């Protein structure tokens, strides 16, 4: 697989395995791993802060603009060119919608009504959705008892997080649904990319730069239709959007490339399991979000199930 995006699940990291080897970085890979975990873990806090001052579509558009700018700079340094061919651009348009425009927008809208901690935990369900979809869409990815058990355990964890025994009291159903739909969008997008763009002659950097550019154009069309220009530009939310785009959508992808090239996708994908922990800690410590016992317990169950769904036959 060749297109890579800024979202956060094992399928994405595994997809980046085809990235061309990069020169060995001076900074130890463990430190870069920690930095990547922090960047993606804090992304949900940045979304929450950004939506305090701007509409969700505006936050998403800003995120994509600054993320695309980072990738464009990287492409200029490496003299990488955008891909050619209408067919490739058509597939990238679909990938941009499923892997960037749609999930980024859904997470932004979901955090209008749910805590950033819950959004971060919902994001951790992507491997579970990916496992469920692979049973139907990827004939070569046969299930094992362990992986099927992981799927069941993971969704039991989701019910625990949401407090199913209390009738989901106190939760906004729409916000939770949007966060879970955003998490579902990632594996759908990666299955599409795997079937259409795998084996492309273009570099991951070129394809990702084009993908983010297309997602930016999609939001540039949609945003004016559903929002009006801000009458003021509050500084803190603006800085959050800049950081979300430049760090969480640009720099993070470049760090991910280096990790996959150096230590392989199996180790690199472990970052997925640190993200909800960091998102929860950030939301509670910096935003004062409440935390009941079911949230961390359910999150642990979700992560355990997600880890089991990634166990391959013979591993």
């Amino acid at each position: 697989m060749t297109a890579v995006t800024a979202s956060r699940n094992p399928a994405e990291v595994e997809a980046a395995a085809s990235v061309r080897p990069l020169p060995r970085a001076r900074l130890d890979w463990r430190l870069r791993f920690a930095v990547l975990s922090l960047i993606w873990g804090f992304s949900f806090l940045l979304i929450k802060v950004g939506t305090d001052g701007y509409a969700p579509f505006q936050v998403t558009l800003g995120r994509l603009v600054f993320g695309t700018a980072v990738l464009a700079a990287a492409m200029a340094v490496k003299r990488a060119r955008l891909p050619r061919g209408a067919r490739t651009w058509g597939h990238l348009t679909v990938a941009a919608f499923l892997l960037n425009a749609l999930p980024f927008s859904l997470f932004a809208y979901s955090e209008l009504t749910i805590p950033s901690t819950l959004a971060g935990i919902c994001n951790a369900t992507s491997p579970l959705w990916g496992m469920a979809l692979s049973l139907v869409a990827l004939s070569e990815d046969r299930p094992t008892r362990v992986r099927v058990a992981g799927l069941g355990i993971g969704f039991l964890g989701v019910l625990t997080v949401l407090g199913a025994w209390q009738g989901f009291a106190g939760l906004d159903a729409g916000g939770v649904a949007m966060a879970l739909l955003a998490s579902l969008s990632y594996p759908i997008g990666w299955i599409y990319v795997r079937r259409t763009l795998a084996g492309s002659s273009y570099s991951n950097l070129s394809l990702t730069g084009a993908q983010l550019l297309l997602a930016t154009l999609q939001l540039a069309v949609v945003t004016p239709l559903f929002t009006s220009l801000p009458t003021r530009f509050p500084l803190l939310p603006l800085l959050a959007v800049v950081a979300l785009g430049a760090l969480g959508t640009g720099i993070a992808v470049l760090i991910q490339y280096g990790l996959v090239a150096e230590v392989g996708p199996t180790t690199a994908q472990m970052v997925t399991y640190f993200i909800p922990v960091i998102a929860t800690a950030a939301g509670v410590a910096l935003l004062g979000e409440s935390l009941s016992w079911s949230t961390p317990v359910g999150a642990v169950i979700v992560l355990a199930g997600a880890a089991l769904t990634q166990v391959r036959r013979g591993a």
Side-chain angles (χ1 to χ4, degrees), residues 98-99 129-130 133 181 183-193:
L98 292 173
L99 293 170
W129 296 119
L133 290 170
L181 183 59
S183 302
L184 172 62
S185 180
Y186 289 134
I188 292 176
W190 278 113
I191 289 174
Y192 178 83
V193 168

Side-chain angles (χ1 to χ4, degrees), residues 1-180:
M1 195 171 303
T2 51
V4 179
T5 184
S7 42
R8 316 162 185 81
N9 60 71
E12 295 172 69
V13 183
E14 184 175 357
S18 60
V19 67
R20 295 178 182 178
L22 299 176
R24 188 176 182 84
R26 295 180 181 178
L27 191 63
D28 185 84
W29 73 266
R30 297 170 186 82
L31 294 177
R32 285 179 283 133
F33 182 97
V35 170
L36 184 59
S37 300
L38 287 171
I39 290 174
W40 277 341
F42 270 87
S43 292
F44 297 95
L45 179 147
L46 294 175
I47 292 171
K48 174 67 77 173
V49 175
T51 54
D52 283 342
Y54 303 96
F57 274 139
Q58 293 169 346
V59 171
T60 304
L61 175 59
R63 175 181 187 174
L64 288 167
V65 166
F66 290 107
T68 302
V70 171
L71 267 293
M75 289 177 64
V77 171
K78 295 181 177 296
R79 297 183 179 180
R81 296 182 178 181
L82 290 173
R84 298 180 181 179
R87 184 181 181 85
T88 298
W89 280 92
H91 290 318
L92 285 172
T93 299
V94 177
F97 175 74
L98 292 173
L99 293 170
N100 301 112
L102 178 61
F104 290 0
S105 298
L106 286 173
F107 272 125
Y109 269 100
S110 73
E111 291 200 38
L112 291 177
T113 55
I114 66 173
S116 65
T117 54
L118 181 55
I121 294 172
C122 287
N123 180 81
T125 65
S126 281
L128 304 178
W129 296 119
M131 167 65 185
L133 290 170
S134 70
L135 299 179
V136 178
L138 300 176
S139 59
E140 70 275 17
D141 192 11
R142 306 312 304 167
T144 63
R145 291 181 180 179
V146 171
R147 298 181 70 195
V148 173
L151 184 64
I153 291 171
F155 283 112
L156 177 62
V158 173
L159 294 177
T160 302
V161 170
L162 300 181
W165 65 91
Q166 298 175 335
F168 308 104
L171 290 177
D172 181 79
V176 173
M178 284 189 286
L180 291 174

Side-chain angles (χ1 to χ4, degrees), residues 156-301:
L156 177 62
V158 173
L159 294 177
T160 302
V161 170
L162 300 181
W165 65 91
Q166 298 175 335
F168 308 104
L171 290 177
D172 181 79
V176 173
M178 284 189 286
L180 291 174
L181 183 59
S183 302
L184 172 62
S185 180
Y186 289 134
I188 292 176
W190 278 113
I191 289 174
Y192 178 83
V193 168
R194 183 172 177 176
R195 290 186 175 277
T196 59
L197 290 170
S200 172
S201 59
Y202 297 105
S203 70
N204 281 347
L205 182 58
S206 295
L207 289 169
T208 304
Q211 181 179 307
L212 287 180
L213 174 61
L214 288 167
T216 302
L217 294 176
Q218 291 169 2
L219 262 294
V221 172
V222 171
T223 300
L225 300 178
F226 294 93
T227 66
S228 57
L229 287 176
T231 56
R232 61 189 186 90
F233 295 87
L235 182 59
L236 185 59
L238 179 60
L239 292 177
V241 173
V242 173
L244 182 64
L247 294 175
T249 313
I251 298 297
V253 171
L254 299 179
I255 295 175
Q256 183 190 38
Y257 286 163
L259 285 174
V260 172
E262 184 173 342
V263 300
T266 301
T267 300
Q269 75 181 20
M270 294 300 293
V271 70
T272 304
Y273 306 111
F274 290 88
I275 292 170
V277 177
I278 296 171
T280 299
V284 172
L286 299 179
L287 297 180
E289 295 178 344
S290 60
L291 187 67
S292 64
W293 69 267
S294 61
T295 300
V297 171
V300 170
I301 298 174

